[in-house]
Amino acid sequence: MRPTLIAVLFAVFSVSTSEAQDDAMAAADAYQQAHEQQILEEAFDFLALPNNAANRDDILVNARHIVAMLEARGADAQILEASDSLPAVYGEILTPGATRTVMFYAHYDGQPALPENWTYPPFEPVMLSGRIDAGGAPVDWRDASVIDPDWRIYARSSSDDKSPIVALLTAIDALVAADIPLGVNIKFFFEGEEEAGSAHMRTMLETHRDLLAADFWVLADGPVDPRGDPRIVLGVRGVTSMQLTVHGASRDLHSGHYGNVAPNPAARLAHLIASMRAPDGRVLIDGFYDGVPAPSDAALALIESGAYDEDGLVAEPGIAGVEWRQGASYGEAVMVPALNILGLSSAATGDATRNAIPSTATAAIGFRMVPGQTIPRIRELVTAHLESEGYVILDRAPTPEERLAHPMIAEIHWSTSGYPAAVTQAEHPDVIRLTGLVASTSDRPVRVVPILGGSLPLAPIVDVLDVPFAIVPMVNPDNSQHAPDENLRVGHLWDGIRLYAVLMADDWED
Amino acid sequence: MRPTLIAVLFAVFSVSTSEAQDDAMAAADAYQQAHEQQILEEAFDFLALPNNAANRDDILVNARHIVAMLEARGADAQILEASDSLPAVYGEILTPGATRTVMFYAHYDGQPALPENWTYPPFEPVMLSGRIDAGGAPVDWRDASVIDPDWRIYARSSSDDKSPIVALLTAIDALVAADIPLGVNIKFFFEGEEEAGSAHMRTMLETHRDLLAADFWVLADGPVDPRGDPRIVLGVRGVTSMQLTVHGASRDLHSGHYGNVAPNPAARLAHLIASMRAPDGRVLIDGFYDGVPAPSDAALALIESGAYDEDGLVAEPGIAGVEWRQGASYGEAVMVPALNILGLSSAATGDATRNAIPSTATAAIGFRMVPGQTIPRIRELVTAHLESEGYVILDRAPTPEERLAHPMIAEIHWSTSGYPAAVTQAEHPDVIRLTGLVASTSDRPVRVVPILGGSLPLAPIVDVLDVPFAIVPMVNPDNSQHAPDENLRVGHLWDGIRLYAVLMADDWED
C-alpha cells in the first residue's frame, strides 16, 4: 500500500492549479499591488495595540479592534467569553450555495515583551530594509513607490499571529474586489490567551459549540517550513510533566561514615530513570504504548517525501544521529511518544560538591504524548511503575516514622498544565484537498507534517467539536517569535493573502 | 576461628589492670587533682593562639609555643619542615632501657573560625558551667576550689587537637611527679596543616623518615565513641572523587521538537550510574574489588562486639536499614569500598524546569577506598568502564566535529586531592596490647573500630614508615569540632591524661 500512497500524495502535490485557484491568486496579487500601503496601514494600527494576555484591558482593546476589522468586511462579529476566559473574537460570513464551512483560527495575544530587550519598541511597529542582524534600517514605506518584499515589519506579534489575521481579512477584500465569490461558509475564531496557555480553550469550545462548528479548522499559526517551503501541520504531540523526588536519609550525611550505609537517593533516582527509559528513548513503563497506533503508511510516506527538514534539525545542533532506534529518521522519532528527562538536581556538582550523601534527588520528567494516550493514564502507569520498583509514593516529604518504616520513598508532583495530543489523519479527504490547494500557491514542494514534535492545546478541536484540522502557516521561519525583535517579512504577508484567498475561494467539495 | 577470636578479644577487653597501670593512673589522677589550675592555665594559654592554617605566621607562633611546652618537659624539640609545608613540631624523650618507641601524633592547627558565628570569641577561651545549649554560663575557674568535670572549655581547637597535646605533656608531668619511669621511648609529631588537608604529610615523612621512625603511632585525634566509651580506631578508608559530565546536543533543545531525537544526557547519565552501581551499593565496575581483602575474622569479631554505634548511626538520621546487602551491619557496610553519588545537576528541576532537553548532565561521584585500592587504579577502571559503555572520554567539552563524530561523549575531571586507605590489622600484637591498656583505664567497654567509614591522610604512616598505627582519642563526642562553639568537657581532659600516662608507662613488650 505504501508505494501507492506515496504516488497518490505526490500526484496531489504536483496537481496543476485549477482556473478558480488561478483566479483567486490573481485577485490576491492584484489587490495587494494596488493596496500595499492600505494593507500595511491596517497591520501597523493593529500591531500598535499592546497585547500581553496578562493585561485584560489591553486584550479587550485588541478584541474590539478585531470586531471592527471583521465588520468592515461585512462579517457578523462578536466577542466570546467562557468562564473567566479572556475574550475571543468570533466572526462569520455565510456564503449562499456553499455546502461546507471552514473555520480560520489565529490568536491575537502576544508573548510578554520587555522594551529594554528590543531594538525598537515592541508596540511601535517599524519597517526596516531587512533583518536587524543583517543591517536592516528604517525605511519610509508610506512614501515608497514600491514595497520591497524583503522589507520587514518589527513589532510584537508581527508574525505570531497578528499578520495572519490581517492576511485572512485582506484575502476577503481581494476576492470581493475581483468579484470572486467565496466557495465556503467562513468562520473566524481569534483567541486572546494562547500565549498564556489557552487555559479556557476547552470551555470556550464547549460553551460555544454550535457557533464554532465547522467542517474543517485551518489554524493560521506558526511559521512555514524552515527550508522556506509551504507547510501543512496535521497534528501535535500532547504534553505533561512531573517532578520525581527520591528521599534518602533525613539530612545529608558524611559520604565516608555513610557510604554504603545511607541510601543514596541520587543513585536510586538513576536506577529509576534507567528502569523507565531505555538508552534509545524507548519507554519501559508497562503499558506506556498500549493504544498507541503505529505510524500510518500515509504518515510514513509523508516523512519519506521530506516532511521534516532532517538535515537542519539534526546536524545543526550537533547531534550525531537521531536517538530513537538505529537509523530512524527525525519524523519517525517524533511520531512516537517521548519520555524526556528535563532536569536533575541533587546536592551540588563541580566546585560546590561536598563529600556528603544527598538526602534527596529530583528529576523533572516530561512526557510528549501521541493520540491514544491521556494524562490520567500516564499518571496511573507511572505510579504503578514506581510501586513495582518498590517505592512508596507520597505527594510530600516523608515523616520521620515513614522514613523508618519504608526504605524506598518517592515524592511526586504532576504539573497542573498540559494537554493530550491532537492529530488529523494524513489520508483524510479534506487533507488531500487542502494539500492540493496549498500546492497550487507555490512552486516549492508542500511539506505535510503528520505530527509536530511540540505541543499545542488543539485537542478540544478533536475532542469537543470532532472536527479535522490543519495548521496552515504563512510567516517566515526566522521571525523570532516569542523573542525580542519579532518580525515579519513583507513578502510572506503577501504570500499569506494569496494562500488564504485560494482556501476561501475553493468549495472544499470532494 | 571466629568464636575463638571473639573470646580472645573479650578476654583482652576484660583483662584486669596490672599494678604498673594502676600506678600510672593513680599518678595521673593525683597530679591532676593537685594541679588543676596549672593544667588549665597551660591549656588556656595555648588555646588563645589563633591557629588557622591559612595564616603561616599564626601557625609559627603555635609551633614555637609547642617547642617551649616540650622543652619544659625536658624533651628534645624542633620544628620540622618539608618542601613548602607549614611547620610541624617534633619532640622526643629517650628512655634508658626501653626497647620500643611509641610516636604520639596530634595536630595543632584548627578549622577556620568566624567570630560572628561563635557565642564567645574562638580565641578567647572561656570556661562554662556546661554546654551552651544546656544553659552553660561562664564560671570563675581560677578561683574555684573544685573544678567540676562537667564544666566545658569553649575555644577553637579545644578538642581538635590542642587539648590532646596538653594531655600528652601533662601525662609526662604526672609520671615524673610520681617517679614512675616511662616504659618506652616517646616521640611526638604535632602537625600544623591537618585541617588544610595534610598536603605535605607524605613529603614530611619521607624527608624526616629516621626521626619519625617508631614501633607504633598513636594518633590523639577525634572523639571517643558516641556512646561515651573509650575507642581505638585501626584504620580509615581512602577517598577520591570525580566530576562526570555526559554531553548531548550543543545547546538545550525544545523537548517537543527533540524528544526522541536529541540524545538526553540526563537519561544517559542515569544509565551510566546504574551501570556502575547496583541498588545495594555494590560497584559494578569491572575489577573494582580486585585485591580488596575480605573483612578479617578479627574485624568481624570486633564489629559483632559492638565496635560501631549501630543504633545511633542508622536509625537517628532516618535510615530504614543499611543499604549494603540485606541484613548487613553498619560495620560490614563501611568495611567495603563505596561509590557515592555526591550530586547531580542537569538544567533545572522544580519551578525552574523548562521544557527542554538539557545539553549536559553532571554527576559528582566519590569513592571511599579500602586497602588494596589505589587512586590510579580507580581512575583506570572507571575510564575502562565508561569506554566499555561506548563513551569517548574527554577532559573538556567536545568540539563541534567531535559531537558529530561520536554519539556518546563523557567529560571527566578527577579531584586533585584524595588519598588511599590506611589500616592496621586488628590481630596485630601491638593492637591487642594497646586494647588491653586502654581497657585498663575505664570501666566501660573499649570500642575497637577496624576501619572508619571516613578518611584521613594516614596512608604515609603505612606506605612510607611501614608502621602500625591506631587512633586513640580522648575528647567528648559532642565537642562541635569544625563548627562554631567547639568545646571540651574538662572531665575528658582528665581522662586523657590518665589514658596517655598508661600508654607511656607501659613497656609495650610482648
Side-chain angles (χ1 to χ4, degrees):
Chain A
M1 180 176 171
R2 223 158 124 202
T4 317
L5 250 165
I6 295 176
V8 167
L9 290 163
F10 273 108
V12 166
F13 293 177
S14 57
V15 73
S16 54
T17 60
S18 73
E19 202 174 315
Q21 288 148 28
D22 284 340
D23 288 350
M25 283 191 280
D29 292 347
Y31 186 85
Q32 166 248 307
Q33 282 154 24
H35 301 83
E36 284 181 339
Q37 259 83 2
Q38 180 187 329
I39 299 166
L40 293 175
E41 209 61 81
E42 182 172 41
F44 272 60
D45 287 349
F46 191 17
L47 292 170
L49 307 177
N51 65 342
N52 181 344
N55 190 330
R56 176 176 284 270
D57 289 344
D58 282 349
I59 288 297
L60 197 57
V61 169
N62 278 271
R64 289 180 180 142
H65 189 87
I66 298 169
V67 167
M69 287 166 72
L70 281 163
E71 289 175 341
R73 275 75 182 192
D76 283 335
Q78 59 179 292
I79 285 176
L80 300 185
E81 292 185 332
S83 179
D84 55 348
S85 77
L86 289 169
V89 178
Y90 172 76
E92 68 175 32
I93 301 176
L94 299 181
T95 303
T99 62
R100 309 200 77 214
T101 301
V102 176
M103 170 68 83
F104 290 92
Y105 164 96
H107 67 85
Y108 65 86
D109 64 313
Q111 283 277 320
L114 286 176
E116 57 268 34
N117 297 334
W118 287 61
T119 308
Y120 300 92
F123 297 110
E124 297 176 22
V126 57
M127 182 74 80
L128 302 187
S129 56
R131 277 186 67 87
I132 289 176
D133 52 17
V139 290
D140 185 6
W141 60 273
R142 287 187 173 85
D143 288 329
S145 57
V146 178
I147 305 288
D148 185 333
D150 282 331
W151 288 355
R152 296 202 178 213
I153 303 169
Y154 274 79
R156 171 55 83 221
S157 296
S158 53
S159 271
D160 182 27
D161 272 348
K162 283 186 171 177
S163 62
I165 294 174
V166 171
L168 286 164
L169 301 187
T170 305
I172 297 170
D173 297 337
L175 294 174
V176 167
D179 261 341
I180 297 175
L182 299 178
V184 286
N185 298 313
I186 287 178
K187 293 184 174 181
F188 297 103
F189 181 70
F190 297 133
E191 191 186 5
E193 55 185 15
E194 196 267 355
E195 301 293 4
S198 295
H200 301 86
M201 185 72 167
R202 184 171 296 274
T203 315
M204 187 71 83
L205 267 55
E206 285 169 349
T207 307
H208 306 287
R209 192 187 299 265
D210 293 341
L211 215 51
L212 301 176
D215 294 299
F216 200 93
W217 275 48
V218 170
L219 295 101
D221 189 20
V224 299
D225 186 87
R227 291 159 290 189
D229 302 328
R231 182 187 228 184
I232 296 172
V233 176
L234 298 179
V236 287
R237 292 200 285 194
V239 64
T240 189
S241 66
M242 69 184 293
Q243 302 287 330
L244 166 61
T245 297
V246 174
H247 285 273
S250 60
R251 59 174 192 273
D252 294 356
L253 291 170
H254 191 287
S255 68
H257 298 320
Y258 284 94
N260 287 344
V261 177
N264 190 306
R268 286 192 169 173
L269 180 64
H271 278 280
L272 260 188
I273 291 171
S275 76
M276 290 195 279
R277 186 186 195 276
D280 65 355
R282 207 161 22 90
V283 177
L284 305 173
I285 297 169
D286 213 34
F288 188 79
Y289 295 107
D290 287 358
V292 171
S296 70
D297 288 333
L300 291 172
L302 290 173
I303 293 171
E304 284 192 24
S305 74
Y308 302 93
D309 176 21
E310 295 267 346
D311 292 345
L313 285 162
V314 177
E316 184 274 325
I319 302 173
V322 167
E323 184 184 42
W324 184 258
R325 291 214 319 268
Q326 188 71 31
S329 65
Y330 176 93
E332 289 169 288
V334 296
M335 290 284 297
V336 283
L339 186 164
N340 295 311
I341 308 301
L342 305 175
L344 295 175
S345 59
S346 182
T349 63
D351 290 343
T353 302
R354 288 178 308 122
N355 268 328
I357 296 171
S359 59
T360 64
T362 299
I365 302 180
F367 296 89
R368 296 286 173 166
M369 296 170 285
V370 300
Q373 298 183 305
T374 65
I375 292 178
R377 178 77 178 145
I378 295 285
R379 293 185 181 188
E380 187 184 304
L381 294 175
V382 169
T383 301
H385 180 82
L386 296 180
E387 287 172 346
S388 76
E389 292 286 316
Y391 281 87
V392 168
I393 299 175
L394 302 175
D395 60 0
R396 50 166 175 77
T399 64
E401 293 70 30
E402 286 166 338
R403 284 181 199 280
L404 292 176
H406 306 294
M408 298 168 81
I409 296 177
E411 176 182 352
I412 62 180
H413 297 273
W414 288 95
S415 168
T416 52
S417 61
Y419 30 81
V423 168
T424 296
Q425 294 308 310
E427 49 274 67
H428 192 286
D430 285 339
V431 170
I432 306 287
R433 182 162 196 101
L434 172 67
T435 305
L437 293 174
V438 175
S440 72
T441 67
S442 172
D443 294 335
R444 308 179 68 107
V446 183
R447 308 299 186 170
V448 184
V449 173
I451 189 167
L452 271 192
S455 304
L456 290 168
L458 305 182
I461 301 174
V462 178
D463 300 346
V464 179
L465 302 181
D466 193 19
V467 169
F469 71 89
I471 301 169
V472 186
M474 56 163 257
V475 306
N476 41 300
D478 63 344
N479 66 48
S480 300
Q481 70 182 69
H482 293 199
D485 292 341
E486 179 180 350
N487 65 86
L488 169 76
R489 183 178 163 277
V490 171
H492 279 77
L493 175 57
W494 302 159
D495 291 347
I497 296 169
R498 177 158 51 170
L499 171 66
Y500 299 134
V502 167
L503 299 191
M504 290 172 175
D506 192 72
D507 62 11
W508 287 66
E509 288 175 12
D510 295 335
Chain B
M1 180 176 173
R2 223 156 123 201
T4 316
L5 249 165
I6 295 176
V8 167
L9 290 162
F10 273 108
V12 165
F13 293 176
S14 56
V15 73
S16 54
T17 59
S18 73
E19 200 175 312
Q21 289 148 27
D22 285 340
D23 289 349
M25 284 190 280
D29 293 348
Y31 186 85
Q32 167 249 307
Q33 283 155 22
H35 301 84
E36 285 182 337
Q37 260 84 2
Q38 180 188 331
I39 299 166
L40 293 174
E41 208 63 79
E42 183 173 39
F44 272 61
D45 286 349
F46 191 18
L47 292 170
L49 306 178
N51 65 342
N52 181 343
N55 191 330
R56 176 176 284 270
D57 289 345
D58 281 351
I59 288 296
L60 198 55
V61 168
N62 279 272
R64 288 182 181 139
H65 189 87
I66 297 168
V67 167
M69 287 166 73
L70 281 163
E71 287 174 346
R73 275 75 184 192
D76 281 337
Q78 60 179 293
I79 285 176
L80 301 185
E81 292 185 331
S83 178
D84 54 348
S85 77
L86 289 169
V89 178
Y90 172 77
E92 68 174 34
I93 300 176
L94 298 181
T95 303
T99 62
R100 309 200 77 213
T101 301
V102 176
M103 170 68 83
F104 291 93
Y105 164 97
H107 66 85
Y108 65 85
D109 64 313
Q111 282 279 319
L114 286 176
E116 57 266 36
N117 298 334
W118 287 61
T119 309
Y120 300 91
F123 297 110
E124 296 177 20
V126 58
M127 182 75 80
L128 303 187
S129 56
R131 280 186 64 86
I132 289 177
D133 51 17
V139 290
D140 185 6
W141 61 272
R142 286 186 174 87
D143 288 331
S145 56
V146 178
I147 305 288
D148 185 333
D150 281 330
W151 288 356
R152 297 201 180 213
I153 303 170
Y154 276 78
R156 171 54 85 221
S157 297
S158 53
S159 271
D160 182 26
D161 272 348
K162 283 186 172 176
S163 63
I165 294 174
V166 171
L168 285 164
L169 300 186
T170 304
I172 297 170
D173 296 337
L175 294 174
V176 167
D179 260 341
I180 299 175
L182 299 178
V184 286
N185 298 312
I186 288 177
K187 294 185 174 181
F188 297 103
F189 181 70
F190 298 133
E191 190 186 5
E193 54 185 18
E194 197 267 355
E195 300 294 4
S198 295
H200 301 87
M201 185 72 167
R202 184 172 295 275
T203 315
M204 188 70 84
L205 267 55
E206 285 169 348
T207 307
H208 306 287
R209 191 187 300 265
D210 294 342
L211 215 50
L212 301 177
D215 294 300
F216 201 91
W217 274 48
V218 170
L219 296 101
D221 190 22
V224 300
D225 185 87
R227 291 159 291 189
D229 302 329
R231 181 187 229 184
I232 295 173
V233 176
L234 298 179
V236 287
R237 291 200 286 194
V239 63
T240 189
S241 66
M242 69 184 295
Q243 302 287 329
L244 166 61
T245 297
V246 174
H247 285 272
S250 59
R251 60 175 192 273
D252 294 357
L253 291 170
H254 190 288
S255 69
H257 299 320
Y258 283 94
N260 288 345
V261 177
N264 190 306
R268 286 191 170 173
L269 179 64
H271 278 280
L272 259 187
I273 291 170
S275 76
M276 290 194 280
R277 187 185 195 278
D280 65 356
R282 206 160 24 88
V283 177
L284 306 173
I285 297 168
D286 215 33
F288 187 78
Y289 295 106
D290 288 358
V292 171
S296 69
D297 287 332
L300 291 172
L302 291 173
I303 293 171
E304 284 191 25
S305 75
Y308 303 93
D309 176 22
E310 295 268 345
D311 292 344
L313 285 162
V314 177
E316 183 275 323
I319 302 173
V322 167
E323 183 184 41
W324 185 259
R325 291 212 322 265
Q326 188 71 31
S329 66
Y330 175 93
E332 289 169 287
V334 297
M335 289 285 295
V336 283
L339 185 164
N340 294 312
I341 309 300
L342 305 175
L344 295 175
S345 59
S346 181
T349 63
D351 291 343
T353 302
R354 290 180 306 123
N355 267 327
I357 296 171
S359 58
T360 64
T362 298
I365 302 179
F367 297 88
R368 296 286 172 165
M369 296 170 286
V370 299
Q373 298 184 306
T374 65
I375 292 178
R377 178 77 177 145
I378 296 286
R379 293 185 182 187
E380 188 185 303
L381 294 174
V382 169
T383 302
H385 180 82
L386 296 180
E387 287 172 348
S388 76
E389 292 285 316
Y391 282 86
V392 168
I393 299 175
L394 302 174
D395 60 1
R396 51 168 174 77
T399 64
E401 293 69 31
E402 286 166 340
R403 284 182 199 279
L404 292 176
H406 306 296
M408 296 167 83
I409 297 177
E411 177 183 352
I412 62 180
H413 297 273
W414 287 96
S415 168
T416 53
S417 62
Y419 30 82
V423 168
T424 296
Q425 294 308 312
E427 49 277 67
H428 191 288
D430 285 339
V431 171
I432 306 287
R433 183 163 195 98
L434 173 66
T435 305
L437 294 174
V438 175
S440 72
T441 67
S442 173
D443 295 335
R444 307 179 69 107
V446 182
R447 307 300 186 170
V448 184
V449 173
I451 189 168
L452 270 191
S455 304
L456 290 168
L458 305 182
I461 300 173
V462 179
D463 300 345
V464 178
L465 302 181
D466 193 19
V467 169
F469 71 90
I471 301 170
V472 186
M474 57 163 255
V475 305
N476 42 300
D478 63 344
N479 66 49
S480 299
Q481 70 182 70
H482 293 200
D485 293 340
E486 180 179 349
N487 65 87
L488 169 76
R489 183 178 162 276
V490 171
H492 280 77
L493 175 57
W494 302 159
D495 290 347
I497 296 168
R498 177 158 49 174
L499 171 66
Y500 299 135
V502 167
L503 300 192
M504 289 172 176
D506 192 73
D507 61 12
W508 287 66
E509 288 174 15
D510 296 335

